Amino acid sequence: MSLLGASAGAIGFVSGLGELIGYSMRYVFGRLTDKTKQYWPMVILGYVLDIIAVPALALVGEHGWLAACLLFVIQRMGKAIKKPAKDTVMSFAASQEGAGKSFGIQELLDQIGAFLGPVLLYLVMLLRQEGTTFQIYSACFAVLAIPGAITLILLLVTRAKFPNPERFEPEPKEYIPFKLKKEFILYIAGISLFAFGFIDYSIVIMHVSRNYTTLAPGLAETSSLVNSGTLPLLYAGAMLVDAVAALLFGMLYDKKGVRALVLSTLISAPFACFVFLCRTVPLLLIGIALWGVGMGAQESILKAAVTGMVPKQSRATGYGIFECAFGVFWFLGSWLLGTLYDSNTVVMVIVSVVTQLAAIPFYIASTRQARRIA
């Protein structure tokens, strides 16, 4: 989006809007999934939209950042359709292996793909030296149609092999209607604060590509520490950390419960200090690694916790509420933090760190409330 001419404020708004739509609609599709019990059709439909939208970015014109934004929103809508059903299917399987471990393994495999994807694009960039940066990026997005097609094939094979995923988890002895328990409300408040303060990677990478400069010895001009060709590798590194952190903290959650969530938040919250306030490559890499830890925890522990709070019959609705709240506050946070980036980076970093740390008391209160009921 930056390459196509979008400002930092526009990127923050669009990134947040995409997440708002993608997450808020998950409540709707979560309810629909629980009502129809059509887990696989919802997953497949969402993946189809996702797979079509990303390679279609190759067709966007040089100044077509609005078209790119539209495709971004479509891709997020695909995620909104598939995620509640996908997470519910995962929760059924997780009942046999442990929620934290299972969601950690899922995130590990997910982020191995997220690591290999940018590496693939880096190789495409190396092979295609001719043309403008825009043309090279367009070629990269076109290549992504290949793994997208493979994903859909594997999904159809999995559906054929396991047509009734709900059978993985035993049926409860009695029907338990879904209602918003106090522990779930406290938990939602906590993850909302975390989402509000967690800076979107689009802002991180824009900062790195535009402003991460240093005065080279003996030179009067500034030179970029990170060139455009290495940007995919930075993202790949973040995804690799994400994958390892998701598995480790997921397994830790099965043993220690909310303490794993508190620990991951304490570790990841300061990432903005290293990324936005420091000017050396080692500290930048530390910041991006901490960002990866936060993402890993988000995709494993946060989801695993929902499994234990919501009964099987309404699990997709529970995930829909969880994802909706997360998305609304991610949208508000992305918009605010993107705007603050244009005016005062230090204030942006303070808001980010403080709001993430403010989530910890709510996590602890949620666990204590659950113990009190038990």
mmCIF file of all heavy atoms in Angstrom, residues 1 35 42-43 47-48 76 127 276 282 296 299 345 347 374:
data_model
loop_
_atom_site.group_PDB
_atom_site.id
_atom_site.type_symbol
_atom_site.label_atom_id
_atom_site.label_comp_id
_atom_site.label_asym_id
_atom_site.label_seq_id
_atom_site.Cartn_x
_atom_site.Cartn_y
_atom_site.Cartn_z
ATOM 1 N N MET A 1 0.833 -1.209 0.000
ATOM 2 C CA MET A 1 0.000 0.000 0.000
ATOM 3 C C MET A 1 0.866 1.256 0.000
ATOM 4 O O MET A 1 0.543 2.254 -0.645
ATOM 5 C CB MET A 1 -0.920 -0.014 1.222
ATOM 6 C CG MET A 1 -1.984 -1.086 1.179
ATOM 7 S SD MET A 1 -3.039 -1.044 2.656
ATOM 8 C CE MET A 1 -4.011 -2.523 2.385
ATOM 9 N N LYS A 35 -25.505 -22.864 14.111
ATOM 10 C CA LYS A 35 -26.894 -23.165 13.760
ATOM 11 C C LYS A 35 -27.000 -24.257 12.706
ATOM 12 O O LYS A 35 -27.851 -25.142 12.788
ATOM 13 C CB LYS A 35 -27.592 -21.892 13.267
ATOM 14 C CG LYS A 35 -29.085 -22.060 13.021
ATOM 15 C CD LYS A 35 -29.724 -20.721 12.659
ATOM 16 C CE LYS A 35 -31.234 -20.885 12.467
ATOM 17 N NZ LYS A 35 -31.889 -19.595 12.133
ATOM 18 N N MET A 42 -18.264 -23.918 5.370
ATOM 19 C CA MET A 42 -17.866 -22.577 5.774
ATOM 20 C C MET A 42 -16.357 -22.397 5.651
ATOM 21 O O MET A 42 -15.875 -21.353 5.191
ATOM 22 C CB MET A 42 -18.309 -22.313 7.217
ATOM 23 C CG MET A 42 -19.808 -22.404 7.443
ATOM 24 S SD MET A 42 -20.731 -21.128 6.558
ATOM 25 C CE MET A 42 -20.372 -19.698 7.560
ATOM 26 N N VAL A 43 -15.614 -23.410 6.052
ATOM 27 C CA VAL A 43 -14.155 -23.339 5.951
ATOM 28 C C VAL A 43 -13.721 -23.212 4.489
ATOM 29 O O VAL A 43 -12.880 -22.377 4.136
ATOM 30 C CB VAL A 43 -13.512 -24.585 6.597
ATOM 31 C CG1 VAL A 43 -12.008 -24.610 6.331
ATOM 32 C CG2 VAL A 43 -13.765 -24.599 8.099
ATOM 33 N N TYR A 47 -11.781 -20.066 2.521
ATOM 34 C CA TYR A 47 -10.476 -20.261 1.896
ATOM 35 C C TYR A 47 -10.493 -19.858 0.423
ATOM 36 O O TYR A 47 -9.506 -19.323 -0.092
ATOM 37 C CB TYR A 47 -10.037 -21.722 2.025
ATOM 38 C CG TYR A 47 -9.164 -21.972 3.231
ATOM 39 C CD1 TYR A 47 -9.651 -22.671 4.340
ATOM 40 C CD2 TYR A 47 -7.852 -21.521 3.266
ATOM 41 C CE1 TYR A 47 -8.855 -22.904 5.447
ATOM 42 C CE2 TYR A 47 -7.045 -21.750 4.368
ATOM 43 C CZ TYR A 47 -7.552 -22.446 5.459
ATOM 44 O OH TYR A 47 -6.757 -22.667 6.558
ATOM 45 N N VAL A 48 -11.584 -20.129 -0.267
ATOM 46 C CA VAL A 48 -11.670 -19.768 -1.688
ATOM 47 C C VAL A 48 -11.524 -18.257 -1.870
ATOM 48 O O VAL A 48 -10.771 -17.784 -2.729
ATOM 49 C CB VAL A 48 -12.995 -20.267 -2.297
ATOM 50 C CG1 VAL A 48 -13.227 -19.640 -3.668
ATOM 51 C CG2 VAL A 48 -12.976 -21.786 -2.422
ATOM 52 N N ARG A 76 -9.920 -10.460 3.959
ATOM 53 C CA ARG A 76 -10.294 -10.495 5.374
ATOM 54 C C ARG A 76 -11.707 -11.047 5.561
ATOM 55 O O ARG A 76 -12.009 -11.691 6.565
ATOM 56 C CB ARG A 76 -10.185 -9.095 5.979
ATOM 57 C CG ARG A 76 -8.729 -8.672 6.234
ATOM 58 C CD ARG A 76 -8.078 -9.687 7.146
ATOM 59 N NE ARG A 76 -6.777 -9.273 7.640
ATOM 60 C CZ ARG A 76 -5.633 -9.821 7.284
ATOM 61 N NH1 ARG A 76 -5.608 -10.781 6.385
ATOM 62 N NH2 ARG A 76 -4.497 -9.427 7.815
ATOM 63 N N LEU A 127 15.338 -13.621 -8.902
ATOM 64 C CA LEU A 127 15.310 -14.110 -10.278
ATOM 65 C C LEU A 127 14.813 -13.058 -11.256
ATOM 66 O O LEU A 127 15.212 -13.047 -12.424
ATOM 67 C CB LEU A 127 14.410 -15.358 -10.362
ATOM 68 C CG LEU A 127 14.928 -16.597 -9.610
ATOM 69 C CD1 LEU A 127 13.888 -17.712 -9.643
ATOM 70 C CD2 LEU A 127 16.245 -17.069 -10.217
ATOM 71 N N PHE A 276 10.607 1.094 16.996
ATOM 72 C CA PHE A 276 10.343 2.482 16.630
ATOM 73 C C PHE A 276 11.261 3.505 17.304
ATOM 74 O O PHE A 276 11.349 4.638 16.843
ATOM 75 C CB PHE A 276 8.885 2.834 16.935
ATOM 76 C CG PHE A 276 7.897 2.087 16.100
ATOM 77 C CD1 PHE A 276 7.300 0.928 16.580
ATOM 78 C CD2 PHE A 276 7.574 2.511 14.822
ATOM 79 C CE1 PHE A 276 6.389 0.219 15.810
ATOM 80 C CE2 PHE A 276 6.659 1.810 14.043
ATOM 81 C CZ PHE A 276 6.074 0.659 14.539
ATOM 82 N N PRO A 282 20.533 -4.855 15.190
ATOM 83 C CA PRO A 282 20.280 -5.873 16.218
ATOM 84 C C PRO A 282 19.040 -5.579 17.066
ATOM 85 O O PRO A 282 18.249 -6.483 17.353
ATOM 86 C CB PRO A 282 21.559 -5.837 17.073
ATOM 87 C CG PRO A 282 22.615 -5.362 16.138
ATOM 88 C CD PRO A 282 21.926 -4.348 15.270
ATOM 89 N N GLY A 296 2.418 -15.181 18.159
ATOM 90 C CA GLY A 296 2.330 -16.602 18.464
ATOM 91 C C GLY A 296 1.402 -16.881 19.633
ATOM 92 O O GLY A 296 0.591 -17.812 19.589
ATOM 93 N N GLU A 299 -2.275 -16.428 18.608
ATOM 94 C CA GLU A 299 -2.854 -17.479 17.786
ATOM 95 C C GLU A 299 -2.948 -18.833 18.475
ATOM 96 O O GLU A 299 -3.558 -19.749 17.941
ATOM 97 C CB GLU A 299 -2.034 -17.628 16.494
ATOM 98 C CG GLU A 299 -2.124 -16.440 15.556
ATOM 99 C CD GLU A 299 -3.516 -16.253 14.979
ATOM 100 O OE1 GLU A 299 -4.229 -17.269 14.824
ATOM 101 O OE2 GLU A 299 -3.903 -15.122 14.687
ATOM 102 N N THR A 345 5.820 9.606 17.455
ATOM 103 C CA THR A 345 6.152 8.187 17.565
ATOM 104 C C THR A 345 6.292 7.738 19.008
ATOM 105 O O THR A 345 5.894 6.625 19.374
ATOM 106 C CB THR A 345 7.454 7.882 16.802
ATOM 107 O OG1 THR A 345 7.338 8.338 15.461
ATOM 108 C CG2 THR A 345 7.740 6.394 16.793
ATOM 109 N N VAL A 347 4.744 8.853 21.711
ATOM 110 C CA VAL A 347 3.412 8.675 22.295
ATOM 111 C C VAL A 347 2.791 7.379 21.784
ATOM 112 O O VAL A 347 2.154 6.636 22.543
ATOM 113 C CB VAL A 347 2.504 9.882 21.973
ATOM 114 C CG1 VAL A 347 1.077 9.616 22.443
ATOM 115 C CG2 VAL A 347 3.049 11.143 22.621
ATOM 116 N N ALA A 374 -15.939 -22.806 40.010
ATOM 117 C CA ALA A 374 -15.662 -24.230 40.130
ATOM 118 C C ALA A 374 -15.665 -24.682 41.594
ATOM 119 O O ALA A 374 -16.085 -25.773 41.917
ATOM 120 C CB ALA A 374 -14.308 -24.545 39.489
#
